[in-house]
Amino acid sequence: MTARIERPLSPHIQTYRWTLTMALSIVHRATGIALYVGTLLLAWWLIAAASGPAAYAHVQAFSGSIIGRLIVFGYTWALMHHMLSGIRHFVWDLGYGFKANEREALTWGALIGGIVLTVLVWIIAYAIGGGR
């Protein structure tokens, strides 16, 4: 009789060597969850704007604080990264970008592009808004 080999029935994370593509696939899911939370904050802002100056002032005070700006900056990054990762997944759904070098290029493009777009959005917002 042959000895039974103890191994997982299905592949586990410990089995695989981590790659940037794997990590950003997980980050894509996390940014999707973050967008839900950020959209609640966006809804709070819209409801406050419709409710009157006092309610709007509270939201503006929160979003103008350091914590509020960090949250809005994170929401902006999550939005940009999730969008670019979604485009990456769409390219894969079309049947392209599966070669190792193409997969890496798409992944790096989503990572760097999300950061660059976030910084650009904030630079433009500060230029238009005067740093308010």
Side-chain angles (χ1 to χ4, degrees), residues 28-41 74-80 82-83:
H28 178 72
R29 289 171 178 83
T31 56
I33 294 167
L35 290 177
Y36 279 109
V37 176
T39 302
L40 290 174
L41 293 173
Y75 180 73
T76 308
W77 175 78
L79 185 63
M80 296 300 152
H82 197 78
M83 175 188 68

Side-chain angles (χ1 to χ4, degrees), residues 59-76 122 126 129-132:
V59 175
Q60 286 299 96
F62 173 74
S63 61
S65 70
I66 291 173
I67 298 279
R69 287 186 189 223
L70 282 173
I71 290 171
V72 174
F73 185 83
Y75 180 73
T76 308
W122 276 72
Y126 268 88
R132 290 183 264 140

Side-chain angles (χ1 to χ4, degrees), residues 5 14-15 30 36 51 57 76 78-79 88 104-105 107 114 116 119 123:
I5 299 172
Q14 298 90 352
T15 304
Y36 279 109
S51 297
T76 308
L79 185 63
R88 174 175 59 114
E104 287 293 313
T107 304
V116 168
V119 171
I123 288 171

Side-chain angles (χ1 to χ4, degrees), residues 38-118:
T39 302
L40 290 174
L41 293 173
L42 179 63
W44 178 39
W45 177 71
L46 290 171
I47 292 167
S51 297
Y56 187 73
H58 289 306
V59 175
Q60 286 299 96
F62 173 74
S63 61
S65 70
I66 291 173
I67 298 279
R69 287 186 189 223
L70 282 173
I71 290 171
V72 174
F73 185 83
Y75 180 73
T76 308
W77 175 78
L79 185 63
M80 296 300 152
H81 178 77
H82 197 78
M83 175 188 68
L84 293 176
S85 284
I87 292 170
R88 174 175 59 114
H89 282 273
F90 181 65
V91 168
W92 289 341
D93 289 343
L94 293 174
Y96 301 104
F98 287 116
K99 293 179 185 167
N101 61 339
E102 295 170 343
R103 203 172 50 244
E104 287 293 313
L106 286 170
T107 304
W108 279 106
L111 178 62
I112 294 169
I115 294 167
V116 168
L117 284 176
T118 300

